[in-house]
Amino acid sequence: MSAPASTPSRREQILATAADLFAARGFHGVSVAELGAACGISGPALYKHFPSKQAMLAEMLTSISERLLEVGRDRVATAADPADAVRALVDWHVDFALAHRPLIVVQDRDWESLPVDARDDVRRLQRAYVDVWADQLRALRRDLTPDAARASAHAAFGLLNSTPRAGHALRDDELRSLLASMALAALGVPTAT
């Protein structure tokens, strides 16, 4: 039996609402007043939680990048071998992509709105996440150069991060299965038996 999911903090609720609004209308298309109203508070009350709208965007993208890396490392640490590790990474990333479609849109579209220091942090975290994948791919396929392994990881991310645009006619469980099997095939990793 799994532990019950914890209730998101008010700060996490605000970030989730902001992600939905930014994904739908763009970072610059959402005012602080509109964001506050969507959260059930006044726009200025948001400043009790975040110093600025840019700070919300920065925390949104930095925290999810930290989470991707943390869980990715955990999955690899508990894997039986490199193939199992890649399967675990694919499973984790599909879970992330299905649960966080708005964040994928926001990252793609509103990257330039991030403050420079946050952009640097997100890039550093994302490079580390790519390297987690690349290390396992190289352990599995000795013919891959480090650059080819990183490119393979990026290509898999492109497929897995297509969730905001793909599969609208499919249930999430069907899309999950399709994306996972396609990513594993593209990476040359057999599905678990």
Side-chain angles (χ1 to χ4, degrees):
M1 177 181 230
S2 62
S6 62
T7 302
S9 70
R10 184 65 172 138
R11 191 176 180 86
E12 291 168 332
Q13 291 170 351
I14 291 169
L15 287 174
T17 300
D20 289 341
L21 288 173
F22 295 167
R25 298 186 356 227
F27 177 77
H28 295 293
V30 179
S31 72
V32 172
E34 292 168 322
L35 185 51
C39 294
I41 58 177
S42 70
L46 285 173
Y47 295 119
K48 287 173 47 182
H49 302 278
F50 298 94
S52 67
K53 193 169 81 164
Q54 269 192 322
M56 273 185 244
L57 180 64
E59 184 168 328
M60 184 185 301
L61 296 181
T62 302
S63 66
I64 200 62
S65 296
E66 290 169 342
R67 182 84 178 125
L68 279 166
L69 179 58
E70 174 190 349
V71 174
R73 285 176 172 161
D74 289 347
R75 296 282 175 105
V76 167
T78 60
D81 56 41
D84 188 46
V86 173
R87 285 190 290 271
L89 288 167
V90 167
D91 284 345
W92 159 236
H93 202 98
V94 173
D95 288 345
F96 159 79
L98 289 170
H100 299 288
R101 288 174 171 109
L103 288 174
I104 293 169
V105 172
V106 171
Q107 163 112 10
D108 285 349
R109 187 180 49 217
D110 295 313
W111 176 257
E112 292 300 319
S113 297
L114 266 178
V116 173
D117 58 334
R119 225 179 295 160
D120 291 344
D121 287 344
V122 172
R123 276 192 189 113
R124 176 185 50 77
L125 291 162
Q126 290 176 345
R127 276 193 298 270
Y129 183 58
V130 168
D131 285 343
V132 168
W133 283 65
D135 290 347
Q136 296 310 306
L137 290 169
R138 290 196 71 219
L140 187 62
R141 295 185 44 209
R142 300 285 181 192
D143 62 312
L144 287 178
T145 65
D147 288 341
R150 285 187 205 95
S152 297
H154 279 287
F157 299 160
L159 171 67
L160 299 174
N161 289 344
S162 69
T163 54
R165 297 167 294 284
H168 297 290
L170 299 177
R171 293 186 328 261
D172 276 2
D173 62 321
E174 293 172 315
L175 183 56
R176 180 187 207 302
S177 178
L178 177 67
L179 290 174
S181 64
M182 289 177 71
L184 290 172
L187 293 169
V189 178
T191 57
T193 55

